[in-house]
Amino acid sequence: MMQSSVPLCNICGEQVGVNDNGEVFVGCYHCNFPICKACLEHEINEGSRGCLSCGIPYEERTKGGDENDIKVHENQSQLGNSQDIGLHARHISTVSTVDSELHDESGNPIWKNRVESWKGKDKKSKKKKALKAEVEAPIPPEQHMEERMPTEVAADPPLSIVVPISKTKLAPYRTVIIVRLIILGLFFHYRVTNPVDSAFALWLTSIICEIWFAFSWVLDQFPKWCPVDRHTFLENLSARFEKEGEPSGLAAVDFFVSTVDPLKEPPLITANTVLSILAVDYPVDKVSCYVSDDGAAMLTFESLVETAEFARKWVPFCKKFSIEPRAPEYYFSQKIDYLKDKVQPSFVKERRAMKRDYEEYKVRVNALVSKALKTPEEGWTMQDGTPWPGNNSRDHPGMIQVFLGHSGALDMEGNELPRLVYVSREKRPGYQHHKKAGAENALVRVSAVLTNAPFILNLDCDHYLNNSKAVREAMCFLMDPEVGRDLCYVQFPQRFDGIDRSDRYANRNTVFFDVNMKGLDGIQGPVYVGTGCVFNRQALYGYSPPSMPNLPKSSSCCCCPSKKSTKDVSEIYRDAKRAELDAAIFNLREMDNYDEHERSMLISQLSFEKTFGLSTVFIESTLMENGGVAESADPAMLIKEAIHVISCGYEEKTDWGKEIGWIYGSVTEDILTGFKMQCRGWRSVYCMPLRPAFKGSAPINLSDRLHQVLRWALGSVEIFLSRHCPLWYGWGGGRLKLLQRMAYVNTIVYPFTSLPLIAYCTLPAICLLTGKFIIPTLSNIASVLFLGLFLSIITTSVLELRWSGVSIEDLWRNEQFWVIGGVSAHLFAVFQGFLKMLAGVDTNFTVTAKAADDAEFGELYIIKWTTLLIPPTTLIVINLVGVVAGFSDALNGGYESWGPLFGKVFFAFWVIFHLYPFLKGLMGRQNRTPTIVILWSVLLASVFSLVWVKIDPFVSKVDSSAISGACSAIDC
């Protein structure tokens, strides 16, 4: 073997070298990733047991050269087979005839006969191909392998790699989790076997609460068992799919932007999101932006007209100077040196001109908003004098308008712009429209008819592209032939603007996005969080992943019944029907010789209409493996069909919202949709680029934040009370991993923690007021248990911070708002959810605003009084009163009273410290506490102290008759 043929190590750049047998050193037998022996040993010593390319653990090396060759050949053959499968391969199975009503004279289904005849034709064509291959001189398999060896060694560089967390960080973390679990068991054994007889009710309440908290901790902690990081290679993506002189091979992407009320969701915010999409760093012909106006507002339509015109200037400016971010409002508001890395002499001049154009554009949009504040009595009229079809937002036809694209305007430099489409689905009284989930499903159908991109990226109207290469980051996973085959979506973390540095109300939700989601990425993938997610369109259609085997057939007898058949019959039936549809699509793709009439008849008889609805054009789009629309399609016909698929009755008697698309039944349709996909066997990926992919605006004042948490918690309660509850849904197929199921269970049961939490936060005040305590006098063993539990909690948090990179302040804010939200929004969500799901009563908690004085972060300090503020305010007051009463009692009781007081006061201050951000939010100021609040606090504390010392109501009363009798006996 010549030394020149030895590949270079991808880490150190030196030659890989040879082993003892004189052969090229192979570190990973699965992908032959070039790595030298020294770098391999270094990676293993650092704790990286998995290959940097494919992520598969390194196998034990064998000394024999023949064994090495066998392993390499086997892996090469497996790789070749996997590449032949294709991105959207289907399973072949027998198609059911239940849904067919057309039969021939002998009683056999007509469409089945056609399928059988097409199968025969397909077999004949395959035989002809085989005969042709035999005539040609075949190449021996050995020569095939020798020719493929250099190709495999010089394989395409990876698009992404999995970077496991170092064992030096992860092993101690897992060890502490196990130790904490053991300590919890010993702790509960002590607590249960040592009741407090003098305060039995308080002791029993505390035991129940602590058991629930331990259960919640297990559900939250164990899905973090295998956290991973991922790294993408954008340059490898470009090298593979964007070769010079050839058309771009990158897949097309349809962007979805949803909005409802332009007065609550300002059109300028939505416009910035749209502009950032139109200026994305991606081939123009591969991008389409669909804006869903579910309120049918003429203001939204007119603002998009202005946005399309301004995009002709903004898009070429962004691409010419490679600016970030590409949302103009946020770009021009940056407090940075915008001249950095901009060497073009014309940049300053063009930037000033663009900023002036943007200010003029803002004036025009704001003028539209001012005009829309007062609706004319006769309703809005368009420029041609005809009434606006959406004057009645609850009763209007479907509307579609294509602004930009192939037939639209070009930019100022004469280049093509991405397609921009306005969509407002039809609404009529008496139809259930399913809010955001229904709007998203309407966009799925419209986009399938008009552009049919294989991937979909959905955004909220206030989430703009902060990283112009975000789509390329997702394509590193979705377009990888090995990784992307089983991916249903790529989820990006949510990042926010306009939040103060201290993040008082945990609006950034850093612990969830940087800890929990990275943990789920190591199992079956992160949950879908509603925005910033790139979907595989085929997964939204309800299909199983290509590599997922069919469900095993259950075999049972009368004496030994099968467990599979009795576990979840309905789920097995639904999966079987889905497999039939998969097989039908496969048959349609494989049949070569058939006419259009036969295919249209087959489509109408193969359950497609019962699944997807009465649109042959849409059904045809689901059969296109790589997406796209036929070049011969008539644009006018496509627009007409797009109007048809967004009609209000299109989803009736179909699987939309039940098995395909966004799933209905909860206000948190995102969790439900991702859960259904992963129950079918799909996995997801968490992508965290160095520059955040998307940024949005968060409701930052206290009341709005609590209402946001209330909506999320209410959706979780709705899922818990539905048939899709992870406690019992999807067990039949066995496709959802156990730790993943635990994570989904945690997402639906966490609101119920509010009941034990509010009881536990009340216990300190009761203990201080009554002089009782929930824990008996501690022995030495009990003290060790309490100390060990306390230290294990701290150590778990510290090690979690170590591998996740989250700051201790973020962790503390998350802990604080867990208590604040738990005793307010989560509590109301539980009661509201049961009223809504069981009694059909829908309650709303309205807020009233009060102006703020502070200019910077002024919205943060607005006070909006709402019912949600009552429970935490009550807890703060009674715990403060309890502390005052406890100290007063200790002053009266002497030296011996101070020892028992310490534990009770510590317990009360734990509650007060956790509720401190809430207390600060009630004050409504940024830098100082209002004087009136201080005066009232001192006055109330003094009054309660004096009353407590004078009355002391919890001291046992002495019988007055006994006192009078004693007095008469001594002749008082």
Side-chain angles (χ1 to χ4, degrees):
M1 181 178 292
M2 296 178 62
Q3 192 69 11
S4 59
S5 63
V6 179
L8 300 180
C9 175
N10 278 5
I11 296 180
C12 64
E14 300 293 335
Q15 289 189 342
V16 169
V18 295
N19 56 19
D20 297 334
N21 298 329
E23 299 171 346
V24 176
F25 179 82
V26 179
C28 176
Y29 295 113
H30 290 270
C31 64
N32 290 337
F33 182 68
I35 182 173
C36 65
K37 187 175 182 180
C39 292
L40 175 63
E41 292 175 353
H42 177 73
E43 290 294 322
I44 294 176
N45 294 335
E46 286 295 316
S48 298
R49 297 292 182 181
C51 175
L52 296 178
S53 174
C54 62
I56 299 176
Y58 294 115
E59 298 180 359
E60 293 184 2
R61 302 187 53 79
T62 57
K63 296 181 179 180
D66 295 338
E67 294 177 4
N68 287 342
D69 291 338
I70 293 172
K71 288 188 177 181
V72 173
H73 294 328
E74 289 176 352
N75 290 317
Q76 287 172 347
S77 62
Q78 290 173 2
L79 181 61
N81 293 336
S82 64
Q83 291 174 344
D84 293 337
I85 292 175
L87 185 62
H88 300 295
R90 298 295 179 201
H91 309 304
I92 306 176
S93 63
T94 305
V95 183
S96 172
T97 62
V98 175
D99 297 321
S100 177
E101 297 179 356
L102 299 181
H103 299 77
D104 58 12
E105 296 179 356
S106 59
N108 296 322
I110 295 176
W111 67 266
K112 187 175 182 180
N113 294 337
R114 289 197 180 105
V115 171
E116 294 298 331
S117 65
W118 290 341
K119 283 183 178 179
K121 294 177 182 178
D122 189 53
K123 290 178 180 178
K124 290 180 182 178
S125 63
K126 289 181 179 178
K127 287 181 179 179
K128 291 180 180 179
K129 293 178 182 177
L131 275 171
K132 188 177 179 181
E134 288 178 2
V135 171
E136 299 176 355
I139 302 175
E142 294 78 10
Q143 296 183 19
H144 272 294
M145 198 62 63
E146 290 175 1
E147 290 179 359
R148 291 171 67 180
M149 275 293 295
T151 306
E152 293 295 333
V153 173
D156 289 333
L159 302 181
S160 65
I161 59 172
V162 178
V163 184
I165 305 296
S166 174
K167 281 199 171 182
T168 58
K169 298 179 179 179
L170 204 55
Y173 177 67
R174 292 174 174 173
T175 303
V176 172
I177 291 177
I178 299 300
V179 170
R180 182 174 172 181
L181 198 61
I182 296 172
I183 294 176
L184 273 175
L186 299 174
F187 171 79
F188 282 121
H189 178 268
Y190 167 78
R191 294 282 282 130
V192 172
T193 55
N194 290 270
V196 181
D197 297 328
S198 60
F200 187 80
L202 298 178
W203 169 82
L204 183 60
T205 303
S206 66
I207 289 294
I208 295 174
C209 295
E210 289 163 3
I211 291 175
W212 180 265
F213 295 151
F215 171 71
S216 300
W217 173 77
V218 170
L219 289 180
D220 182 68
Q221 196 69 51
F222 275 87
K224 306 173 190 174
W225 190 259
C226 305
V228 297
D229 287 321
R230 295 183 185 271
H231 181 65
T232 56
F233 301 99
L234 299 183
E235 63 280 3
N236 294 348
L237 181 74
S238 298
R240 186 180 299 188
F241 295 103
E242 293 181 300
K243 297 180 180 179
E244 188 175 357
E246 299 180 7
S248 174
L250 293 175
V253 181
D254 289 336
F255 289 77
F256 292 174
V257 179
S258 302
T259 183
V260 180
D261 188 349
L263 298 180
K264 294 182 179 179
E265 301 166 337
L268 196 59
I269 300 298
T270 304
N272 271 271
T273 300
V274 172
L275 288 170
S276 69
I277 294 173
L278 297 178
V280 67
D281 182 5
Y282 208 69
V284 172
D285 58 327
K286 306 288 186 179
V287 176
S288 300
C289 178
Y290 293 84
V291 180
S292 171
D293 177 19
D294 219 30
M298 188 173 178
L299 173 57
T300 303
F301 180 84
E302 290 184 332
S303 66
L304 278 184
V305 174
E306 294 288 347
T307 302
E309 183 64 25
F310 178 70
R312 300 177 61 215
K313 304 175 182 178
W314 175 250
V315 172
F317 171 76
C318 293
K319 295 185 176 181
K320 180 178 181 180
F321 298 107
S322 301
I323 67 170
E324 296 285 0
R326 299 189 177 181
E329 182 69 25
Y330 303 96
Y331 170 69
F332 289 122
S333 63
Q334 290 182 114
K335 297 180 181 179
I336 60 173
D337 181 12
Y338 60 85
L339 294 177
K340 184 180 181 181
D341 299 329
K342 299 294 187 297
V343 295
Q344 296 91 334
S346 61
F347 173 68
V348 175
K349 181 179 178 180
E350 292 193 32
R351 184 184 186 277
R352 288 174 180 171
M354 182 56 60
K355 187 174 184 180
R356 184 169 56 252
D357 290 339
Y358 177 64
E359 293 298 330
E360 294 174 357
Y361 162 74
K362 286 174 64 176
V363 170
R364 294 194 298 270
V365 174
N366 289 331
L368 294 174
V369 175
S370 300
K371 179 183 176 182
L373 293 176
K374 188 176 181 180
T375 306
E377 294 182 0
E378 65 277 7
W380 300 105
T381 56
M382 295 185 289
Q383 291 182 354
D384 59 358
T386 58
W388 171 249
N391 278 324
N392 187 347
S393 61
R394 299 182 179 180
D395 187 3
H396 64 85
M399 295 178 282
I400 295 177
Q401 176 66 46
V402 180
F403 290 107
L404 303 173
H406 301 289
S407 59
L410 303 177
D411 64 21
M412 300 300 293
E413 298 182 358
N415 298 318
E416 185 182 345
L417 288 169
R419 188 188 302 260
L420 176 61
V421 184
Y422 169 86
V423 179
S424 181
R425 57 183 173 139
E426 181 185 17
K427 286 190 176 181
R428 301 297 182 190
Y431 287 91
Q432 179 61 260
H433 302 294
H434 303 289
K435 299 182 180 178
K436 181 182 176 181
E440 295 287 349
N441 284 339
L443 288 181
V444 171
R445 297 191 294 272
V446 168
S447 62
V449 172
L450 297 181
T451 52
N452 195 33
F455 302 111
I456 294 171
L457 195 159
N458 85 296
L459 291 171
D460 289 341
C461 63
D462 60 345
H463 275 71
Y464 64 91
L465 265 77
N466 184 63
N467 184 347
S468 61
K469 299 183 182 295
V471 183
R472 295 177 179 269
E473 296 275 356
M475 291 301 116
C476 287
F477 301 104
L478 292 168
M479 295 193 69
D480 191 311
E482 294 299 319
V483 178
R485 292 174 59 248
D486 293 340
L487 284 186
C488 54
Y489 57 83
V490 176
Q491 178 66 62
F492 291 87
Q494 292 185 20
R495 305 300 187 203
F496 301 98
D497 289 318
I499 301 175
D500 67 326
R501 185 175 300 175
S502 64
D503 193 14
R504 179 185 296 177
Y505 308 126
N507 284 286
R508 293 190 179 94
N509 218 353
T510 308
V511 173
F512 173 76
F513 286 113
D514 290 9
V515 180
N516 296 59
M517 297 287 271
K518 286 171 70 174
L520 291 177
D521 197 13
I523 309 173
Q524 199 170 342
V527 299
Y528 169 43
V529 295
T531 184
C533 186
V534 185
F535 284 96
N536 181 343
R537 186 183 285 269
Q538 297 294 320
L540 281 172
Y541 290 156
Y543 302 124
S544 299
S547 64
M548 182 60 60
N550 291 329
L551 288 173
K553 295 181 179 180
S554 58
S555 58
S556 60
C557 59
C558 58
C559 59
C560 184
S562 171
K563 294 182 180 179
K564 288 281 183 182
S565 61
T566 59
K567 203 161 191 178
D568 194 343
V569 177
S570 61
E571 179 65 18
I572 293 177
Y573 173 76
R574 284 192 295 271
D575 282 349
K577 297 297 289 182
R578 182 60 51 198
E580 293 171 5
L581 193 55
D582 289 352
I585 291 178
F586 179 85
N587 291 331
L588 281 176
R589 288 175 178 170
E590 289 298 310
M591 301 308 123
D592 296 327
N593 302 317
Y594 58 86
D595 56 29
E596 292 298 326
H597 176 68
E598 287 180 324
R599 183 163 74 166
S600 62
M601 290 188 65
L602 182 61
I603 286 175
S604 65
Q605 298 167 30
L606 272 178
S607 304
F608 285 97
E609 292 180 350
K610 292 185 179 181
T611 302
F612 296 116
L614 301 174
S615 172
T616 305
V617 176
F618 175 73
I619 294 173
E620 289 274 359
S621 71
T622 66
L623 307 179
M624 297 181 183
E625 183 173 325
N626 297 317
V629 179
E631 295 181 359
S632 59
D634 181 16
M637 183 272 294
L638 292 181
I639 291 291
K640 182 179 179 180
E641 193 67 24
I643 291 290
H644 169 58
V645 298
I646 60 173
S647 59
C648 57
Y650 183 83
E651 294 183 354
E652 288 190 342
K653 297 181 181 180
T654 67
D655 284 346
W656 285 102
K658 303 172 187 174
E659 299 296 328
I660 62 177
W662 270 257
I663 306 302
Y664 305 148
S666 171
V667 295
T668 53
E669 70 286 332
D670 45 7
I671 296 292
L672 201 53
T673 302
F675 173 64
K676 289 277 286 187
M677 291 181 183
Q678 294 190 333
C679 280
R680 298 188 187 105
W682 294 94
R683 65 161 290 112
S684 56
V685 160
Y686 197 50
C687 184
M688 297 180 65
L690 293 178
R691 180 178 179 87
F694 309 98
K695 279 192 175 182
S697 55
I700 58 176
N701 65 69
L702 177 61
S703 302
D704 288 347
R705 175 71 166 130
L706 289 178
H707 275 264
Q708 182 190 56
V709 174
L710 170 65
R711 182 172 58 84
W712 294 342
L714 177 60
S716 297
V717 175
E718 290 174 342
I719 297 175
F720 176 81
L721 297 174
S722 71
R723 72 181 184 91
H724 291 121
C725 177
L727 289 172
W728 50 75
Y729 182 85
W731 285 96
R735 297 173 177 179
L736 192 68
K737 295 184 179 180
L738 179 60
L739 291 181
Q740 191 80 7
R741 186 177 296 276
M742 288 176 62
Y744 275 110
V745 171
N746 188 41
T747 61
I748 64 159
V749 301
Y750 77 89
F752 296 96
T753 306
S754 60
L755 299 175
L757 183 61
I758 199 167
Y760 210 69
C761 290
T762 310
L763 285 177
I766 297 176
C767 292
L768 287 167
L769 293 174
T770 59
K772 310 293 184 181
F773 201 40
I774 58 176
I775 299 175
T777 304
L778 294 179
S779 62
N780 292 334
I781 297 178
S783 301
V784 171
L785 283 177
F786 275 91
L787 182 62
L789 183 61
F790 183 72
L791 292 177
S792 66
I793 293 173
I794 295 178
T795 307
T796 305
S797 301
V798 170
L799 293 176
E800 201 167 85
L801 297 178
R802 189 183 174 202
W803 66 256
S804 66
V806 175
S807 67
I808 190 170
E809 183 181 9
D810 290 327
L811 188 68
W812 174 237
R813 290 298 186 206
N814 180 78
E815 188 75 16
Q816 285 180 313
F817 204 81
W818 174 73
V819 176
I820 295 172
V823 299
S824 56
H826 297 172
L827 181 68
F828 280 80
V830 171
F831 288 105
Q832 187 177 355
F834 275 97
L835 287 174
K836 182 177 180 180
M837 301 300 293
L838 301 181
V841 179
D842 193 3
T843 56
N844 292 314
F845 303 98
T846 58
V847 298
T848 56
K850 176 182 176 183
D853 298 331
D854 299 280
E856 187 178 7
F857 302 116
E859 190 181 347
L860 177 63
Y861 311 103
I862 294 176
I863 298 297
K864 296 181 179 180
W865 294 105
T866 172
T867 319
L868 300 178
L869 303 179
I870 296 176
T873 306
T874 304
L875 285 175
I876 290 175
V877 171
I878 64 172
N879 277 280
L880 289 174
V881 170
V883 170
V884 174
F887 277 103
S888 301
D889 192 34
L891 288 172
N892 292 334
Y895 178 78
E896 295 180 354
S897 302
W898 290 96
L901 178 66
F902 175 77
K904 302 173 187 177
V905 171
F906 176 81
F907 198 7
F909 273 111
W910 179 90
V911 177
I912 295 171
F913 286 155
H914 277 78
L915 294 176
Y916 174 72
F918 177 85
L919 179 62
K920 195 173 182 180
L922 290 180
M923 295 178 182
R925 298 297 180 92
Q926 180 175 1
N927 297 320
R928 63 187 179 90
T929 303
T931 306
I932 189 65
V933 174
I934 298 175
L935 292 176
W936 273 105
S937 300
V938 173
L939 179 61
L940 287 176
S942 303
V943 170
F944 278 116
S945 299
L946 293 173
V947 170
W948 184 263
V949 172
K950 183 66 178 176
I951 300 176
D952 207 358
F954 289 96
V955 175
S956 58
K957 299 296 185 293
V958 182
D959 191 0
S960 59
S961 60
I963 296 177
S964 61
C967 290
S968 61
I970 60 175
D971 197 14
C972 356

